[in-house]
Structure formats: structure tokens, C-alpha cells
Amino acid sequence: MSEPIINRAALRQGDRICRRRKSRLANMIMRATAGERWDIPPDAWNHTAIICDDHGHPAIGDALMGVNCQLTTPFEWDRDCEVNGTRIIVLRPAEATIADGIDAANWWLLNVHGHEYDKIALRHLLLKRLAGDRFKRLGDPNAFYCSEGVDAAWAQGPLVPYILPGPDRSSPGKTWRAWKSGALVEVADALTEYGRKFGGMRAFLKAAR
């Protein structure tokens, strides 16, 4: 890899880092979480994680299929962009303080890190997509899918109404809707000058289908 894509110096604990891959699984996830839409929003993503501190270095709190919830290095995300053409966006709650982010990241480390990935959540998201609020069950209560752990970490603080607007905060696509509403804002300098070509989501919609 030629040079870093994620600007480590711009990251704060608690930031949400999201990515969009070009794969059938990514498309399935985006369709399952598209809210009332049946198409894939052109600026959507298929995975959400949280920035944490790992002995003084930024790390990414990841809930990934096939492994327990873990800390991933920014280098691994950089490499994913280079190898797979993945797009990245970093979001931050508009009202959040540094202390709020630290509290959220620490909660994730204490309560999500090391837990199993929620293998059945995607199936339930697809059912909820079809049945709407008539389908109440969502995933394994003893495991976490990606945005679930991040949402739970932020739900411990005072900013839940800002992070997850609307009456049904467990509904699919909540992170995307929070961004579109302005409750989450993009961290403009989260990517290096070189990495900016991997920012944004729209350019890869056609290629991802």
C-alpha cells in the first residue's frame, strides 16, 4: 500500500466509521437496511464500526461476520480500500463532546468487545424489511451486529435523540437517517489527501450492483 487513507490524527474516540464494499453481501445488507426504500440509496453503506483507543493508538471496534467483535487496525481498513475499492465515511454526533465519545468507546470495549457476532440479525432485518413493525424480533439478544454495538455504546449517554431520531430507533437504516437529518455529521478531514478518492459512496453504486 502506498500511503495511509484514514487520517488517524483527525479521529476521535466514539466516531462512527462506515464503509461500502462492492459485493453481493454488501448489497443484501444495504437493501435490508434501506428503511422504506426498495432501492439502495446512492450514498448508503453496509458496515458501521466505532473508533476506540488501543493503548494510545486509534483502533476500530468491529463486529464482523465469522469472528467475535474485535479491534481492527486502521491499516486493515486502508488495505481494504486499496484492494477492494471500498469507500469510507467517518461520522460524528453533531452535539457530542470529546468526553461523550470516550464514554461511548469505553462502553463498547467493556460490553461488546469479544462478544459473538449476531449471525441471525441479517435474516431478521430482511424479514423486518418485508413485514415492517409487525416483525418485532431483531437478532440474538446475546450477540451484536455492527451498528447495534455502536448504537448501544452511544445510548448510554445523553445524545440518543440526536443520534437515532424517530419513534422506532431500532428500525433498519437508522444510522443513515441520522446522518441525513444532520444528527450525525461527516468528519471532513478524516481521510488523508491521498485517501479522499476513497471518500463518499455515490461513485460506486453502479459498480456495486
Short mmCIF file of all heavy atoms in Angstrom, two decimals, residues 13 52-59:
data_model
loop_
_atom_site.label_atom_id
_atom_site.label_comp_id
_atom_site.label_asym_id
_atom_site.label_seq_id
_atom_site.Cartn_x
_atom_site.Cartn_y
_atom_site.Cartn_z
N GLN A 13 -12.29 9.25 19.66
CA GLN A 13 -12.97 8.08 20.20
C GLN A 13 -14.48 8.28 20.10
O GLN A 13 -14.99 9.36 20.36
CB GLN A 13 -12.57 7.86 21.65
CG GLN A 13 -11.12 7.43 21.83
CD GLN A 13 -10.80 7.12 23.28
OE1 GLN A 13 -11.40 6.23 23.88
NE2 GLN A 13 -9.85 7.85 23.85
N CYS A 52 -12.05 3.45 18.78
CA CYS A 52 -11.68 3.23 20.18
C CYS A 52 -10.20 3.54 20.37
O CYS A 52 -9.47 3.78 19.40
CB CYS A 52 -11.96 1.79 20.59
SG CYS A 52 -13.69 1.29 20.48
N ASP A 53 -9.77 3.50 21.61
CA ASP A 53 -8.34 3.67 21.92
C ASP A 53 -7.75 2.31 22.29
O ASP A 53 -8.33 1.57 23.09
CB ASP A 53 -8.17 4.64 23.09
CG ASP A 53 -6.71 4.79 23.48
OD1 ASP A 53 -5.99 5.52 22.79
OD2 ASP A 53 -6.29 4.16 24.49
N ASP A 54 -6.63 1.99 21.69
CA ASP A 54 -5.92 0.75 21.99
C ASP A 54 -4.50 1.10 22.42
O ASP A 54 -3.60 1.25 21.60
CB ASP A 54 -5.91 -0.16 20.77
CG ASP A 54 -5.28 -1.52 21.06
OD1 ASP A 54 -5.17 -1.89 22.24
OD2 ASP A 54 -4.89 -2.21 20.09
N HIS A 55 -4.33 1.31 23.74
CA HIS A 55 -3.03 1.64 24.31
C HIS A 55 -2.42 2.88 23.64
O HIS A 55 -1.25 2.88 23.24
CB HIS A 55 -2.07 0.45 24.20
CG HIS A 55 -2.55 -0.77 24.94
ND1 HIS A 55 -3.31 -1.75 24.32
CD2 HIS A 55 -2.39 -1.15 26.22
CE1 HIS A 55 -3.59 -2.70 25.21
NE2 HIS A 55 -3.05 -2.36 26.38
N GLY A 56 -3.25 3.91 23.50
CA GLY A 56 -2.76 5.17 22.97
C GLY A 56 -2.81 5.30 21.45
O GLY A 56 -2.42 6.33 20.91
N HIS A 57 -3.32 4.27 20.78
CA HIS A 57 -3.41 4.31 19.32
C HIS A 57 -4.86 4.11 18.89
O HIS A 57 -5.60 3.32 19.52
CB HIS A 57 -2.55 3.20 18.70
CG HIS A 57 -1.10 3.32 19.04
ND1 HIS A 57 -0.25 4.24 18.44
CD2 HIS A 57 -0.34 2.64 19.94
CE1 HIS A 57 0.96 4.12 18.95
NE2 HIS A 57 0.94 3.15 19.85
N PRO A 58 -5.31 4.77 17.82
CA PRO A 58 -6.68 4.57 17.37
C PRO A 58 -6.88 3.16 16.82
O PRO A 58 -6.02 2.63 16.12
CB PRO A 58 -6.87 5.63 16.28
CG PRO A 58 -5.48 5.96 15.81
CD PRO A 58 -4.60 5.78 17.01
N ALA A 59 -7.99 2.56 17.18
CA ALA A 59 -8.37 1.24 16.69
C ALA A 59 -9.85 1.28 16.35
O ALA A 59 -10.58 2.18 16.78
CB ALA A 59 -8.07 0.17 17.73
#
